[in-house]
Amino acid sequence: MVEAVSLNGSSQTTLEERFSALEAKFAALEKNYHALQEKVSVPTESSIDKSTETSADPLPSTNGTTDKADGAKDETTLRSRVKIVINKTDLETGERKDYPLEPPVQTSPASSKATDTSHAFTLRRNVYDDGDDNDGQIDIVNLDLWELLRELLRHYPYHTFRGSPSTLNSPYEPLILYWDKLVLATQETPKNDNDKQARADLKLLLDTISSSSGDPKLDKYFRSRDSNNEQNSVTFETLWTIFPPGTLVYGQPFLGQDQLFIVKDNLRPWPYLPRGQPYEDAVWSLHCWTYDWDGKLFRRMCLKLEFEYFDGQKPITSLPYHPFELKEQDQRALIKGNLIKRGVEYRQFCTATQGSRMFEYNGEAMFVKKGFSGIQGDDDKDEDGLSRSTFDPEPSGSPKRSTSVDSRAMVDFESYFRYGPLIAYVGSLTPENDYTECVCVDCRQNEGLKARYRTRYDEEAHQKGKWEDEQYLICPPRVLGYLLRDKQWAQLQVSVLRNIPDNDPTNSWVTRLKLADGDETKNMILDLVKGHGTSDLSRDDGLEVDDIIARKGKGLVILLYGTIPLTPKSNKLRFRTFIRTAWCGQNLNRRDGSNCCAEALIFDKCGRRIMMLTTNQIAQFDVAVQSRIQVAIKYVNLNKEQTMAIFEGFLEPLAKRGLVKDMEDIRSWLKEDVIKMGLDGRQIRNIITSALSLARAQGKPRLEKRHIKTMLGNVKDFKDEFIKQFEKYKSEQQGMIG
């Protein structure tokens, strides 16, 4: 059919030529279509020139005409103040090149000789093979415009506006974060002609970015910016636009407690997710400061706040963290008042003296770690003999879910970092120690940046005396410490801690400890421990001496010796080391020392240890050990009065609550038949606690005399048998020696 001939004898070749012409015409139309699309999406230099002229002209008069005569415009306004170029790969050379968006406007011979200095700035649109990665750059050419930007944004970090003009890369964070401030600057009355031109150029810069920035994601942001601002809403992709550095941010990361942070910066503006992963898994992160105690000083501590993906728009105040200023005024005032009050308490708890760090705690807490780093004890050993606290699969610990606690608590940051998990969690937030602020000379001299970052709060001068309200506002809602009953390092709510009353009925030292000489020995021990615990190496009152080696020999060793009941173990007495919260400091678990023949109670504070030894074999002590004992107190068997006092110490609290039947009858029986049996304090405790277990098992509402008699008979039988066997053992040993 192609070879067919028409009626007039012409060949089909004529049709082929016509098809070729149509193809060429279609290609031309397609090219024009793409060119039109480019002009619609990107303002041309001429179109921007017109907007510049309009913005630079005086306001219209009442008759609709301008004060400026037609055709009297300055020649420089006929040339656009912005140069737009497309940067893409040259297909012939493979190199990236700048291509002007359109030829420059030529209106006069003078203008044809103008150089790039006639432009205020250049917008470079970087086009890549993958259109999603397209971005933009802005080079500021006009020095007056740059000086205006420096004046307005010199507080911005990273030295961007601290020197000569530099390239601004999309998404132009400093411009977007302080957009409203820049818009207001364009409306201010200029100081002179140069300032007038700079402010007009700034307006052109903002108009150019908002209309076609070169960054598709930023262009999308501007298309919905006004409506989002009106509704106080935000999208996941544009979270970075609402958190300028220095902003106060509100959140509740710890047990629903109000907390304020100071924005340092975002990790990256646009959310990032490796290719191949669903975008719903993306997380956007923001670095902020809180004001925490490190055991010696209050310092700003950087934390990472994370935002999970959400679809569409979301009210800003519904975010887990949002600018504090967006809350209602009455709500802000209420929160500020509560935070200042709590911040005052936080400061007091952190700076409490060593003898005043124990508190009552009844409320929710977040356990972080059980046990002590590098400390091995009986309770921490597995069947293979390894210590769980030493070989913990998570040696640094991690926050657990909240737990209801009723316990004594020791607020001690220094011990927490020394023996605990080492990490100052705030709820589940982890400190970001790798992201420190710049400390170069320029940043240290940048007063605007220092004011927004509140660097003055780290200075020693701001640690003392009256604090600024904002220092209290940004204190965390938790302190770090140790729970005695749960044996856990934990985050403790500031609002739950309570001082222990001076007349504490649960203080066994005062109410239940009975010694033969009354309170004389008790008071001596208490004064020694108090004096040792409150001593300070930095004191200069002359009430300390140094050993040959400075700061050595600062420990205190107290020995309690005599017929003390200890547990035999391979012909040597068991050695247990406890480090418990007391006047000086820490709570540690037990550990065995195989070469020692004593029980020891150790209090430790920064190397100034207090060791309380108990033994019934002082003859086995090495001379070197004996020479280190500073106070020795002989233990003797309990007399009748002491025995009765210990029984009453256990029974009286129960009797006051109506939980003991016939207390007077029991008291008479104890005085007549029991106290002469020679029981020690541990045996008395075991008798009472076991008798209470019997009463509970039998469903009795009160403790009865028969419960105590049952357990006393058992203890007496065991004691008699033990004495019999021990005497037999001694006789056999004497026979071997003979």
Side-chain angles (χ1 to χ4, degrees):
M1 183 175 182
V2 173
E3 299 298 331
V5 180
S6 64
L7 295 176
N8 58 8
S10 62
S11 69
Q12 188 65 26
T13 304
T14 305
L15 292 175
E16 292 178 355
E17 291 176 354
R18 295 170 72 179
F19 276 125
S20 298
L22 287 173
E23 288 177 356
K25 187 174 182 180
F26 177 79
L29 289 172
E30 186 177 25
K31 182 178 180 181
N32 292 336
Y33 171 76
H34 288 301
L36 286 172
Q37 274 194 323
E38 193 72 31
K39 290 187 177 184
V40 170
S41 62
V42 182
T44 62
E45 294 188 23
S46 58
S47 64
I48 294 176
D49 178 39
K50 293 177 182 178
S51 66
T52 307
E53 295 174 22
T54 303
S55 63
D57 286 347
L59 293 174
S61 62
T62 56
N63 59 7
T65 61
T66 62
D67 294 334
K68 196 169 187 179
D70 294 338
K73 297 176 181 176
D74 186 80
E75 183 179 322
T76 58
T77 64
L78 297 177
R79 172 177 291 275
S80 174
R81 296 287 294 169
V82 57
K83 179 180 179 181
I84 301 178
V85 298
I86 305 296
N87 182 273
K88 58 183 180 180
T89 303
D90 188 324
L91 298 179
E92 295 182 358
T93 63
E95 298 179 352
R96 297 193 63 84
K97 293 182 180 180
D98 287 342
Y99 297 90
L101 188 60
E102 65 176 17
V105 179
Q106 299 290 338
T107 57
S108 68
S111 64
S112 64
K113 299 179 181 179
T115 63
D116 281 346
T117 57
S118 62
H119 297 295
F121 59 91
T122 298
L123 170 64
R124 178 176 293 102
R125 299 185 61 196
N126 299 314
V127 179
Y128 304 98
D129 294 337
D130 186 350
D132 293 337
D133 294 332
N134 292 350
D135 57 28
Q137 293 177 317
I138 291 178
D139 293 323
I140 305 297
V141 178
N142 183 267
L143 294 181
D144 291 329
L145 173 59
W146 181 254
E147 288 301 319
L148 179 60
L149 289 173
R150 287 188 59 191
E151 178 185 341
L152 297 170
L153 301 174
R154 66 174 64 251
H155 58 79
Y156 190 76
Y158 312 117
H159 317 96
T160 305
F161 299 98
R162 299 292 292 176
S164 57
S166 59
T167 299
L168 305 179
N169 296 304
S170 64
Y172 319 115
E173 285 186 70
L175 306 183
I176 305 303
L177 292 172
Y178 299 99
W179 187 269
D180 292 339
K181 178 180 180 179
L182 298 178
V183 170
L184 290 176
T186 65
Q187 301 169 1
E188 293 181 4
T189 304
K191 304 172 185 177
N192 50 49
D193 290 342
N194 288 341
D195 186 49
K196 178 180 179 180
Q197 183 63 61
R199 293 181 189 275
D201 290 339
L202 176 58
K203 183 179 186 305
L204 175 62
L205 175 64
L206 301 181
D207 290 342
T208 303
I209 293 175
S210 62
S211 60
S212 182
S213 64
D215 188 326
K217 289 180 285 190
L218 189 59
D219 293 340
K220 181 181 178 182
Y221 159 74
F222 273 108
R223 285 195 291 270
S224 59
R225 181 179 184 275
D226 291 341
S227 62
N228 284 341
N229 286 348
E230 291 175 2
Q231 302 173 28
N232 275 335
S233 61
V234 70
T235 64
F236 178 71
E237 293 77 9
T238 59
L239 281 170
W240 63 274
T241 64
I242 64 173
F243 293 107
T247 301
L248 281 178
V249 173
Y250 172 86
Q252 296 179 327
F254 175 70
L255 298 180
Q257 300 287 307
D258 296 336
Q259 185 171 358
L260 293 185
F261 306 87
I262 297 172
V263 174
K264 179 181 183 291
D265 198 7
N266 56 66
L267 200 60
R268 60 175 56 87
W270 305 116
Y272 170 77
L273 195 69
R275 293 184 182 277
Q277 294 189 23
Y279 194 64
E280 291 74 14
D281 293 342
V283 174
W284 185 76
S285 301
L286 180 69
H287 284 153
C288 292
W289 279 300
T290 186
Y291 198 45
D292 207 9
W293 174 252
D294 66 2
K296 297 180 180 179
L297 293 171
F298 291 96
R299 295 187 182 278
R300 292 166 303 137
M301 180 177 69
C302 186
L303 300 169
K304 182 169 70 173
L305 313 185
E306 293 187 338
F307 298 75
E308 295 182 353
Y309 173 82
F310 59 89
D311 192 22
Q313 297 174 332
K314 194 171 186 178
I316 296 177
T317 53
S318 68
L319 298 172
Y321 306 99
H322 53 266
F324 185 53
E325 64 180 2
L326 295 183
K327 288 193 172 294
E328 297 292 337
Q329 184 175 357
D330 293 344
Q331 190 178 12
R332 285 204 312 270
L334 178 62
I335 293 174
K336 287 181 68 173
N338 293 336
L339 292 186
I340 291 174
K341 179 181 178 182
R342 190 185 69 195
V344 172
E345 294 177 344
Y346 174 83
R347 183 185 183 188
Q348 292 172 348
F349 288 137
C350 292
T351 57
T353 58
Q354 293 178 8
S356 306
R357 295 180 179 175
M358 184 107 59
F359 302 94
E360 295 283 5
Y361 192 88
N362 189 351
E364 295 292 312
M366 290 189 71
F367 292 168
V368 180
K369 178 180 172 61
K370 186 170 185 177
F372 291 74
S373 301
I375 302 298
Q376 177 180 324
D378 296 338
D379 296 341
D380 294 324
K381 283 186 177 179
D382 295 321
E383 294 180 358
D384 58 3
L386 299 179
S387 169
R388 287 193 301 271
S389 60
T390 305
F391 299 94
D392 196 318
E394 290 185 278
S396 62
S398 57
K400 311 296 190 297
R401 60 183 179 85
S402 63
T403 305
S404 182
V405 172
D406 184 6
S407 172
R408 290 281 173 87
M410 191 73 178
V411 177
D412 194 336
F413 282 69
E414 192 170 357
S415 300
Y416 177 96
F417 295 129
R418 185 176 183 183
Y419 299 113
L422 309 178
I423 300 176
Y425 295 103
V426 179
S428 60
L429 302 181
T430 305
E432 294 286 305
N433 298 322
D434 295 336
Y435 292 91
T436 57
E437 59 188 303
C438 180
V439 293
C440 70
V441 175
D442 186 62
C443 288
R444 291 201 304 267
Q445 294 176 351
N446 189 335
E447 297 300 328
L449 177 62
K450 289 166 59 179
R452 280 167 172 76
Y453 276 3
R454 283 75 161 183
T455 56
R456 63 187 181 279
Y457 293 165
D458 291 350
E459 299 170 2
E460 189 173 354
H462 282 77
Q463 306 276 318
K464 303 174 182 178
K466 182 175 176 57
W467 278 11
E468 297 179 24
D469 285 350
E470 202 171 73
Q471 283 179 274
Y472 293 120
L473 285 176
I474 60 177
C475 288
R478 65 94 183 99
V479 290
L480 303 176
Y482 190 82
L483 293 166
L484 276 66
R485 181 169 298 173
D486 301 276
K487 299 181 181 179
Q488 288 272 2
W489 297 103
Q491 301 180 60
L492 311 173
Q493 297 183 66
V494 172
S495 57
V496 175
L497 289 166
R498 295 290 181 268
N499 289 319
I500 299 173
D502 294 335
N503 299 321
D504 181 16
T506 63
N507 189 340
S508 300
W509 177 273
V510 176
T511 60
R512 296 171 63 179
L513 180 60
K514 308 295 180 182
L515 300 181
D517 62 354
D519 291 338
E520 181 179 349
T521 301
K522 282 172 55 177
N523 291 338
M524 179 186 68
I525 295 174
L526 183 59
D527 289 341
L528 285 171
V529 173
K530 278 186 175 181
H532 187 85
T534 56
S535 62
D536 188 346
L537 295 178
S538 63
R539 287 180 57 175
D540 193 22
D541 56 11
L543 293 178
E544 285 194 331
V545 295
D546 278 332
D547 203 340
I548 295 176
I549 300 176
R551 298 191 176 184
K552 289 291 186 179
K554 300 295 184 181
L556 172 63
V557 182
I558 301 173
L559 173 66
L560 182 63
Y561 67 96
T563 56
I564 304 169
L566 297 177
T567 306
K569 182 179 181 182
S570 304
N571 295 327
K572 292 184 180 179
L573 294 179
R574 195 175 197 182
F575 176 78
R576 290 177 179 174
T577 300
F578 306 82
I579 303 182
R580 286 187 192 278
T581 300
W583 299 101
C584 305
Q586 275 71 319
N587 285 275
L588 303 182
N589 294 324
R590 298 177 302 221
R591 61 182 177 182
D592 283 353
S594 58
N595 296 322
C596 299
C597 57
E599 288 186 349
L601 175 64
I602 296 179
F603 305 88
D604 187 352
K605 188 62 180 177
C606 303
R608 302 173 67 83
R609 295 188 173 187
I610 299 177
M611 176 181 286
M612 301 186 72
L613 297 169
T614 59
T615 184
N616 57 8
Q617 297 187 23
I618 58 175
Q620 294 188 20
F621 271 29
D622 187 270
V623 176
V625 176
Q626 297 179 30
S627 65
R628 285 169 169 79
I629 296 171
Q630 290 149 303
V631 180
I633 302 169
K634 186 174 182 179
Y635 176 91
V636 295
N637 291 331
L638 297 174
N639 58 35
K640 294 181 179 180
E641 289 75 16
Q642 290 172 313
T643 303
M644 190 63 198
I646 293 174
F647 266 113
E648 289 185 336
F650 285 108
L651 293 174
E652 281 295 339
L654 296 171
K656 290 180 180 179
R657 293 154 53 195
L659 299 178
V660 179
K661 182 179 180 180
D662 297 329
M663 179 62 188
E664 290 302 323
D665 181 45
I666 293 176
R667 185 180 286 111
S668 299
W669 169 65
L670 291 174
K671 289 180 179 179
E672 293 174 4
D673 300 328
V674 178
I675 60 176
K676 58 186 178 183
M677 293 175 60
L679 300 171
D680 60 44
R682 189 175 297 171
Q683 290 171 330
I684 295 172
R685 181 202 63 190
N686 293 340
I687 290 171
I688 299 300
T689 56
S690 300
L692 290 170
S693 296
L694 283 179
R696 289 194 301 270
Q698 296 173 10
K700 300 297 181 181
R702 293 186 294 175
L703 177 67
E704 300 177 8
K705 178 180 175 180
R706 64 187 180 89
H707 299 136
I708 302 176
K709 290 184 70 174
T710 299
M711 298 313 305
L712 177 64
N714 180 269
V715 171
K716 182 179 182 300
D717 292 344
F718 174 73
K719 182 177 181 181
D720 293 342
E721 182 65 22
F722 178 81
I723 293 174
K724 178 181 176 181
Q725 294 292 335
F726 188 68
E727 291 297 329
K728 180 180 178 181
Y729 169 78
K730 287 172 60 178
S731 299
E732 292 174 352
Q733 293 296 315
Q734 289 293 334
M736 292 176 62
I737 295 174

